Amino acid sequence: MATVAFHTLGCKVNSYESEAMLEIFKKRGYDNIDFDSPADVYVINTCTVTNTGDSKSRQMIRKAHRTNPDAVICVVGCYSQVASEEITEIEGVSVVLGTQHRASIVDFVEEYKMTHKQIVKIENVMKVSRFEDLSIHAFENKTRAFLKIQDGCNNFCSYCIIPYARGRIRSRTMESIKAELERLSASGFKEIVLTGINLSCYDDNGKKLIDVIEMADNVNGIERIRLGSLDPEVVTEDFVERLGKVKKICPHFHFSLQSGCDKTLKAMNRHYTSDEYYEKCQLIRKYIDNPAFTTDVIVGFPGETEEDYISSREFVKKVKFAELHVFKYSKRDGTVAAKMPNQIDEKIKTLRSEDLIKTGEELTKEFRQAKIGQDTTVLFEEKILLDNKEYWVGHTVDYIKIAVSEKENLEGQIRKVNVKDFLTNEIMLATM
């Protein structure tokens, strides 16, 4: 049996697309093996959000070639889309696909095996209007399933290359989403994560994101619906009022911020102010009890003064995020921000990053501390060994990692627990 090995960089959308491509390979008789092993075919699903993403993608291509110089190496995804010329020059690359044609990946691999001529299939993604309808029945070694319902982005934030890699917004049909929800439910998945490049912009002939969520709420077997990311633009009174009536929604919202300073938000070409963002948080809190807000914040954006940074940090404290993902601004070639004046010194970026990470850790501890003594439910995922003791670990609806000491096999089960204390900084201890 021919073998295939995948390495996926980047976001949840990439994870979904890799699983869909893996399923196509399996249907064609390929066996999935570890990326570190000698495989007949390697698929590297690339990321290009930062120059570091590009670099890691190149490293994985070279690693695959070293592991098996005779393998077919197929490079796909966002980095391929924007820099196919760079990729074709890397030794060993056989097939280059962008962010289209993934459904035909095995056909291209088989064609290369016959001709041994490098295949490059890159479309002008800015002209693509059709959603590429990949499908999934199961996820390898996972208890929750991602479900991609949207692609592309029209925002053109000044720091971001993704609209050029993914193209304009386009959405999956409601019928296709429902069919996949039912397939995933039949495969035993209890939690679904709705994902997209700009999930909030979902629109299928007037059907919006809230319509997808309500539809998922009515699929038997699905017990949790989690949202990959939300933008402030989608949060209206109607949206949140309807969301509050969805029985299976996880009250955990990755709510896109990037900066808490209005001057920086404007320079980033983000289309909201900090006050408007805060009002949206309060609107969600009006209809959903104690939601967990997580977000991404960039520090050291071009022109960010110390006062701007402090303003952003204080705003983060005001919102009371459950978790922060802090990023130092990184120049991305091809973006507006890369050419902006007043680029920030790397040492200053590091100091701000360390300070904001500390703030985030304090907020996370405060959010989790409030859960001690409370009952909640956990979807258990795996068994771990910690200090020579075995624990089953999983996540609550608000995405707190919980561990219980239990001999019974809990994988894939949702169980009620009582939160007792911190086991580590990252994991809380509970009893059943």
Side-chain angles (χ1 to χ4, degrees), residues 234-295:
V234 78
V235 180
T236 63
E237 186 95 29
D238 177 68
F239 175 86
V240 185
E241 186 176 2
R242 290 169 66 180
L243 193 67
K245 295 173 184 175
V246 175
K247 300 183 292 295
K248 300 172 184 176
I249 194 69
C250 290
H252 161 233
F253 305 103
H254 190 77
F255 199 32
S256 185
L257 177 62
Q258 308 305 344
S259 175
C261 169
D262 288 346
K263 188 188 99 179
T264 306
L265 286 171
K266 187 174 182 181
M268 289 176 166
N269 198 33
R270 303 291 289 178
H271 303 292
Y272 51 84
T273 65
S274 57
D275 283 347
E276 288 167 347
Y277 182 98
Y278 186 74
E279 287 169 9
K280 305 286 189 176
C281 291
Q282 297 305 92
L283 189 55
I284 292 172
R285 286 176 170 136
K286 176 181 172 183
Y287 289 97
I288 295 174
D289 292 335
N290 198 27
F293 290 114
T294 61
T295 201

Side-chain angles (χ1 to χ4, degrees), residues 16-294:
Y16 175 90
E17 290 163 351
S18 286
E19 291 287 348
M21 287 186 285
L22 174 58
E23 199 163 293
I24 296 167
F25 272 99
K26 285 181 173 180
K27 286 177 181 175
R28 298 282 286 270
Y30 283 76
D31 188 26
N32 180 37
I33 65 172
D34 189 82
F35 192 80
D36 293 330
S37 304
D40 297 311
V41 179
Y42 291 96
V43 179
I44 296 95
N45 195 355
T46 62
C47 175
T48 195
V49 167
T50 64
N51 291 332
T52 302
D54 293 354
S55 176
K56 287 181 179 177
S57 298
R58 292 191 295 270
Q59 287 173 19
M60 290 303 109
I61 296 166
R62 293 184 178 111
K63 178 180 178 179
H65 185 60
R66 285 196 305 271
T67 306
N68 182 7
D70 297 323
V72 178
I73 297 177
C74 189
V75 186
V76 305
C78 293
Y79 179 40
S80 303
Q81 182 67 44
V82 300
S84 60
E85 301 86 356
E86 289 180 21
I87 292 169
T88 56
E89 296 300 316
I90 301 173
E91 187 178 5
V93 171
S94 314
V95 179
V96 182
L97 306 180
T99 52
Q100 294 291 295
H101 305 297
R102 284 162 296 217
S104 302
I105 186 170
V106 180
D107 293 332
F108 292 123
V109 167
E110 297 296 335
E111 181 183 336
Y112 177 82
K113 285 181 179 180
M114 293 175 62
T115 66
H116 293 282
K117 292 181 180 178
Q118 190 181 67
I119 297 169
V120 181
K121 190 74 172 175
I122 305 290
E123 275 196 47
N124 181 350
V125 77
M126 302 307 288
K127 294 183 178 179
V128 173
S129 59
R130 179 185 59 85
F131 182 90
E132 187 179 32
D133 212 342
L134 301 169
S135 64
I136 288 179
H137 291 76
F139 275 71
E140 289 276 304
N141 307 315
K142 295 285 193 305
T143 53
R144 68 171 55 85
F146 300 132
L147 202 171
K148 179 187 168 188
I149 68 169
Q150 184 276 337
D151 207 341
C153 183
N154 294 353
N155 286 345
F156 293 92
C157 299
S158 61
Y159 54 82
C160 187
I161 197 73
I162 293 305
Y164 303 99
R166 288 281 178 170
R168 299 286 184 171
I169 58 170
R170 50 208 186 274
S171 299
R172 190 171 186 171
T173 66
M174 293 282 284
E175 291 78 13
S176 175
I177 296 168
K178 185 177 182 183
E180 186 150 317
L181 282 165
E182 290 171 348
R183 284 194 298 270
L184 292 170
S185 175
S187 296
F189 289 97
K190 294 182 173 69
E191 180 174 313
I192 302 297
V193 185
L194 299 178
T195 65
I197 296 300
N198 193 340
L199 184 67
S200 299
C201 290
Y202 178 86
D203 188 340
D204 175 32
N205 292 315
K207 295 292 185 181
K208 305 291 187 178
L209 176 60
I210 189 62
D211 297 297
V212 177
I213 296 167
E214 289 171 342
M215 179 174 68
D217 196 41
N218 290 314
V219 175
N220 291 331
I222 303 298
E223 296 185 37
R224 289 180 170 187
I225 304 162
R226 198 179 295 277
L227 304 180
S229 184
L230 276 185
D231 278 348
E233 65 198 70
V234 78
V235 180
T236 63
E237 186 95 29
D238 177 68
F239 175 86
V240 185
E241 186 176 2
R242 290 169 66 180
L243 193 67
K245 295 173 184 175
V246 175
K247 300 183 292 295
K248 300 172 184 176
I249 194 69
C250 290
H252 161 233
F253 305 103
H254 190 77
F255 199 32
S256 185
L257 177 62
Q258 308 305 344
S259 175
C261 169
D262 288 346
K263 188 188 99 179
T264 306
L265 286 171
K266 187 174 182 181
M268 289 176 166
N269 198 33
R270 303 291 289 178
H271 303 292
Y272 51 84
T273 65
S274 57
D275 283 347
E276 288 167 347
Y277 182 98
Y278 186 74
E279 287 169 9
K280 305 286 189 176
C281 291
Q282 297 305 92
L283 189 55
I284 292 172
R285 286 176 170 136
K286 176 181 172 183
Y287 289 97
I288 295 174
D289 292 335
N290 198 27
F293 290 114
T294 61

Side-chain angles (χ1 to χ4, degrees), residues 238-366:
D238 177 68
F239 175 86
V240 185
E241 186 176 2
R242 290 169 66 180
L243 193 67
K245 295 173 184 175
V246 175
K247 300 183 292 295
K248 300 172 184 176
I249 194 69
C250 290
H252 161 233
F253 305 103
H254 190 77
F255 199 32
S256 185
L257 177 62
Q258 308 305 344
S259 175
C261 169
D262 288 346
K263 188 188 99 179
T264 306
L265 286 171
K266 187 174 182 181
M268 289 176 166
N269 198 33
R270 303 291 289 178
H271 303 292
Y272 51 84
T273 65
S274 57
D275 283 347
E276 288 167 347
Y277 182 98
Y278 186 74
E279 287 169 9
K280 305 286 189 176
C281 291
Q282 297 305 92
L283 189 55
I284 292 172
R285 286 176 170 136
K286 176 181 172 183
Y287 289 97
I288 295 174
D289 292 335
N290 198 27
F293 290 114
T294 61
T295 201
D296 301 325
V297 181
I298 297 171
V299 298
F301 191 77
E304 182 187 67
T305 64
E306 187 65 20
E307 292 75 18
D308 294 337
Y309 165 69
I310 291 170
S311 173
S312 185
R313 184 190 65 196
E314 294 309 301
F315 181 76
V316 160
K317 292 179 182 178
K318 179 182 176 182
V319 174
K320 293 185 178 293
F321 287 103
E323 190 172 358
L324 289 184
H325 303 280
V326 180
F327 299 90
K328 291 187 288 185
Y329 170 73
S330 173
K331 267 190 181 183
R332 182 60 184 83
D333 297 339
T335 63
V336 172
K339 298 176 182 176
M340 285 181 175
N342 302 316
Q343 298 283 333
I344 307 300
D345 183 86
E346 199 63 34
K347 290 179 181 176
I348 294 173
K349 289 185 202 174
T350 298
L351 287 172
R352 290 177 185 172
S353 173
E354 290 172 349
D355 181 57
L356 195 60
I357 287 170
K358 185 179 177 182
T359 298
E361 289 170 347
E362 291 167 356
L363 290 170
T364 297
K365 185 175 182 180
E366 181 182 332

Side-chain angles (χ1 to χ4, degrees), residues 400-412:
I400 295 174
K401 197 169 188 178
I402 297 283
V404 299
S405 179
E406 182 67 37
K407 288 186 170 58
E408 181 186 352
N409 185 347
L410 299 176
E411 185 177 358

